[in-house]
Amino acid sequence: MKNAHDIINSLQNRPQFSKLSRFKCIDRIRLSFSPPLQKMIKFAYIKNSTLFFVLNHPGAKQEFDNNIQSIKSALKYVQPQECKGLDLKDIKAFVTHTPREENKTVEIKEAEHYKERATGAFQITTKDEKLRNIFESIKEIIHEHHES
């Protein structure tokens, strides 16, 4: 009888779930960084045999650059089990300055309505009939809102 761990592992090894093994590999490598640096990693992805880490602070980039050589050398000799099928040649990082969506709290306020201050007392001096009609309709709208 298989337990839940064996069932999940057998599912992850199927070709249609190959991306799950990528995410497990990325997570395993992310866990090799220090906890403060792990918190500054927004996300990571693999492109063209390069593992990219997206960081949210320039200080994290500097710390990442200090640790990356030791991690690269360790990965050359011993790859985690999750990364066996992937051919990672390089690890890079860059900083993004977009705010995190998960920390934003947006309060929806009811729209404020103000009393119309314009009186519609302006003269229409245009000779074009289309523009004159448009200005007249605007003047009527202002009169209606000013009275209410």
Side-chain angles (χ1 to χ4, degrees):
M1 184 93 192
K2 289 186 175 180
N3 62 15
H5 184 25
D6 293 336
I7 294 170
I8 290 172
N9 280 337
S10 66
L11 286 175
Q12 287 175 347
N13 292 332
R14 291 185 178 178
Q16 63 263 35
F17 298 114
S18 63
K19 290 202 177 200
L20 289 176
S21 63
R22 284 180 159 200
F23 293 122
K24 285 181 81 174
C25 175
I26 290 170
D27 195 45
R28 175 68 101 179
I29 294 172
R30 184 185 59 83
L31 290 173
S32 64
F33 294 115
S34 64
L37 185 59
Q38 289 177 22
K39 289 179 184 175
M40 289 191 248
I41 295 174
K42 287 182 95 169
F43 61 91
Y45 62 94
I46 298 173
K47 183 175 183 181
N48 298 334
S49 298
T50 303
L51 175 59
F52 290 96
F53 285 98
V54 181
L55 308 169
N56 61 3
H57 193 275
K61 170 82 166 94
Q62 190 174 19
E63 183 72 22
F64 183 88
D65 290 340
N66 291 340
N67 293 335
I68 194 61
Q69 288 304 326
S70 62
I71 291 173
K72 281 183 186 179
S73 62
L75 283 176
K76 283 182 183 178
Y77 296 112
V78 179
Q79 271 194 340
Q81 182 65 29
E82 294 85 0
C83 300
K84 291 291 183 190
L86 300 173
D87 183 31
L88 294 177
K89 294 182 178 159
D90 198 12
I91 300 174
K92 294 183 180 180
F94 61 92
V95 178
T96 183
H97 297 290
T98 57
R100 286 187 175 181
E101 294 295 326
E102 60 199 20
N103 292 340
K104 284 186 178 180
T105 56
V106 178
E107 293 182 24
I108 300 174
K109 295 182 181 179
E110 191 174 320
E112 295 183 32
H113 297 284
Y114 297 99
K115 183 180 175 192
E116 181 65 52
R117 292 173 50 183
T119 60
F122 57 88
Q123 294 192 5
I124 302 170
T125 58
T126 184
K127 294 180 174 128
D128 187 7
E129 193 61 34
K130 286 184 181 179
L131 285 177
R132 178 175 288 284
N133 291 337
I134 293 172
F135 285 135
E136 286 292 336
S137 65
I138 292 172
K139 199 172 191 179
E140 289 174 15
I141 292 170
I142 293 173
H143 280 296
E144 289 174 9
H145 284 101
H146 184 70
E147 292 172 358
S148 59

